[in-house]
Amino acid sequence: MSTLLVHNISLLATFDDQESEIVNGALFIRDGFIEQVGSTSELPNTADEVLNLEDHVVLPGLINTHHHFYQTLTRAVPAAQDANLFNWLVTLYPIWARMQPEDIYISTITALAELALSGCTTASDHLYIFPNGSRLDDQIQAGLDIGLRLHASRGSMSRGESQGGLPPDSVVEDEDFILKDSQRLVEQYHDPNPGSMTQVVLAPCSPFSITGDLMMASASLAREYGVQLHTHLAETEDEEQFCIELFGHRPVAYMEQVNWIGSDVWFAHSVHVNEDEIDQYARTGCGVAHCPSSNMRLASGIAPILKMLTSGVKVGLGVDGSASNDSSHMLGEVRQAMLLSRMGASLEGASLSSDDACPMMSARQALKIATRGSAAVLGRDDIGSLEVGKCGDFFAVNIEQLNFSGALHDPLAALVFCAPASADFTVVGGKFIVKEGHLQTVDLQPHIEKHNDRAMRLLN
Ligand SMILES: [Zn+2]
């Protein structure tokens, strides 16, 4: 039995159903789960460990629903800096093909460290390339070593160039092997229980790198084991054209054809979806991982996120891979989501000055996407808000710093409007992952040197 009391919190934003924001708030966590939430005066004044968070805002840990950790090794690659999705991929596939098994562990530590330092407590990763004996097991180990909750995807590519796909044949895998390895990983690592640290997801990469047979077989396998399904969908106009030419359907209709519609499925991007497709997502429970920085970086377009929210679609936030962002800063991504949504509204010709319900995403809406929304997308009801019975996952930011000077009329909104800050504390299940701005679980400096060496080797 161990207890953690966090009290004197300047502002505790719970993101519960009432959207309660408690001034001088407190949390009491026992064995990883929240036992009490309220004002400091209402809660006990002692525990095994006590943290005084005067001058801090506390929020539920942010939840990242889409990433490719391995891409931290290929950030800002010159030849891929100014390319759209298909050209970017064709430039990077041969570089990624040189990865060694150790690269998976090292790049995962880098990405999870950045995420933890920006307020993230749960992350999903989409690993779909396994060159030279690389394994998902190394990523899962890195997740446990850092101490963030990880939804690790066994991704895959099976449709190479010779079959009309985009990736070179050298990076695709045999479909029987993909399915066998997926089953092994689910049996070995997937934990569906409340407070789970590791879940496994089946995640064929995209319509243009996978056969319909593998899509269908992955869906059957995932449903047999009760694990989630994830893929990229409707990211670019090129992809839409590819699907119409090859399958005779738009991307979402193709998903229906291969049994990929349901509440156990979430799609990264969904930039190019029409109103019928949005309704279909809402009716069937399909989730969306919104990745605003990546959509801007690759000039993919603007996802209609406010329309999705109004229609009742589950929307979460994702930083996407580090070769198309090129950052894993979750709080920064919340800001991008808010700003990009407003840009979308202005392009649609909305009258931003009218008194009508203005189609502007608010700071609180953007934060809700990254907490409650992301939890729903990952199929979890034990994270995403600070309420009794939920996981003791939160982050805290000191508001007495330059970034927020002059913005303390609304410290919660300031976290989104002002320059993205680092987390001073990040706690997962009552355990400190970041304390006073420092990562507790990994010695970062030697790690960064090792990570840079591996990145250099890949490019040279
Ligand atoms: Zn992606």
Side-chain angles (χ1 to χ4, degrees):
M1 298 281 266
S2 77
T3 55
L4 170 66
L5 171 69
V6 190
H7 65 176
N8 299 321
I9 303 165
S10 294
L11 186 74
L12 171 61
T14 64
F15 287 84
D16 64 7
D17 289 343
Q18 291 71 44
E19 302 182 355
S20 312
E21 293 176 14
I22 305 169
V23 174
N24 196 5
L27 287 170
F28 189 86
I29 295 167
R30 186 186 297 277
D31 293 335
F33 291 90
I34 299 172
E35 198 171 79
Q36 294 182 64
V37 187
S39 64
T40 296
S41 60
E42 292 166 342
L43 262 66
N45 55 19
T46 183
D48 296 335
E49 186 161 11
V50 178
L51 179 66
N52 182 354
L53 285 185
E54 235 174 305
D55 299 330
H56 287 74
V57 179
V58 167
L59 290 86
L62 302 176
I63 301 166
N64 181 43
T65 58
H66 187 67
H67 205 316
H68 311 286
F69 296 158
Y70 76 87
Q71 293 179 8
T72 57
L73 293 161
T74 54
R75 297 201 241 217
V77 169
Q81 283 176 13
D82 306 315
N84 68 8
L85 177 69
F86 280 14
N87 292 329
W88 173 91
L89 280 168
V90 168
T91 304
L92 290 169
Y93 284 137
I95 300 173
W96 296 336
R98 293 182 214 133
M99 280 196 302
Q100 297 297 318
E102 311 87 274
D103 291 324
I104 302 299
Y105 181 90
I106 291 169
S107 56
T108 298
I109 292 284
T110 300
L112 287 176
E114 271 192 284
L115 286 167
L117 286 162
S118 64
C120 178
T121 52
T122 299
S124 181
D125 188 62
H126 189 178
L127 180 57
Y128 54 80
I129 184 166
F130 295 90
N132 309 310
S134 296
R135 302 183 326 147
L136 191 67
D137 308 62
D138 295 312
Q139 169 167 107
I140 290 171
Q141 186 58 50
L144 294 171
D145 291 349
I146 283 260
L148 258 56
R149 301 186 201 279
L150 177 65
H151 287 222
S153 297
R154 201 320 175 173
S156 49
M157 296 195 289
S158 68
R159 187 196 291 273
E161 265 170 334
S162 62
Q163 288 178 277
L166 191 70
D169 287 357
S170 60
V171 297
V172 304
E173 292 179 284
D174 170 73
E175 298 198 344
D176 286 337
F177 176 75
I178 291 168
L179 291 166
K180 245 185 228 135
D181 196 43
S182 300
Q183 183 176 6
R184 172 186 75 80
L185 290 158
V186 173
E187 288 178 353
Q188 197 170 338
Y189 297 109
H190 182 69
D191 172 10
N193 297 306
S196 163
M197 292 300 294
T198 308
Q199 299 209 358
V200 176
V201 176
L202 302 193
C205 187
S206 60
F208 51 84
S209 58
I210 287 291
T211 67
D213 287 347
L214 185 64
M215 291 299 287
M216 285 193 275
S218 298
S220 305
L221 183 63
R223 285 169 183 148
E224 192 184 321
Y225 281 89
V227 301
Q228 281 200 302
L229 288 162
H230 179 49
T231 193
H232 294 93
L233 199 76
E235 181 173 357
T236 63
E237 279 171 354
D238 287 349
E239 177 199 325
E240 187 177 300
Q241 248 357 83
F242 180 96
C243 287
I244 290 168
E245 275 163 30
L246 205 70
F247 312 124
H249 292 293
R250 290 170 54 81
V252 179
Y254 174 56
M255 288 297 107
E256 200 171 350
Q257 199 186 25
V258 292
N259 296 330
W260 266 67
I261 293 291
S263 59
D264 52 355
V265 179
W266 89 99
F267 300 122
H269 306 298
S270 291
V271 170
H272 300 277
V273 286
N274 60 32
E275 294 201 359
D276 290 344
E277 290 160 347
I278 292 174
D279 284 346
Q280 189 176 6
Y281 283 0
R283 257 193 342 269
T284 57
C286 290
V288 170
H290 177 41
C291 304
S293 293
S294 170
N295 296 160
M296 287 188 268
R297 157 72 143 96
L298 298 172
S300 303
I302 303 178
I305 297 303
L306 275 188
K307 260 185 215 154
M308 291 185 199
L309 293 177
T310 315
S311 307
V313 177
K314 296 183 297 200
V315 180
L317 192 69
V319 297
D320 202 359
S322 294
S324 71
N325 181 323
D326 305 39
S327 143
S328 309
H329 199 296
M330 271 301 281
L331 206 46
E333 201 65 23
V334 173
R335 185 169 194 261
Q336 299 281 52
M338 180 182 78
L339 297 178
L340 184 61
S341 172
R342 292 172 180 212
M343 188 69 212
S346 89
L347 289 178
E348 280 193 8
S351 161
L352 297 181
S353 58
S354 91
D355 290 337
D356 307 336
C358 196
M360 280 221 199
M361 183 182 286
S362 70
R364 283 170 172 77
Q365 259 178 317
L367 286 167
K368 193 170 172 184
I369 291 172
T371 51
R372 294 291 292 262
S374 288
V377 163
L378 295 187
R380 292 190 72 148
D381 56 12
D382 58 339
I383 55 176
S385 61
L386 298 173
E387 295 178 84
V388 172
K390 302 245 174 173
C391 294
D393 293 8
F394 67 88
F395 76 105
V397 177
N398 187 336
I399 48 173
E400 290 290 332
Q401 56 171 303
L402 186 61
N403 295 22
F404 306 123
S405 186
L408 300 186
H409 337 284
D410 187 349
L412 182 61
L415 291 192
V416 184
F417 276 96
C418 302
S422 294
D424 292 287
F425 296 90
T426 302
V427 170
V428 176
K431 294 195 185 85
F432 286 90
I433 310 302
V434 174
K435 205 172 200 173
E436 286 165 2
H438 297 288
L439 193 68
Q440 299 297 292
T441 45
V442 168
D443 188 359
L444 267 187
Q445 208 46 50
H447 173 77
I448 292 168
E449 281 168 30
K450 212 189 298 174
H451 185 252
N452 271 325
D453 285 348
R454 307 295 304 188
M456 285 295 179
R457 187 193 50 80
L458 271 190
L459 258 80
N460 295 326

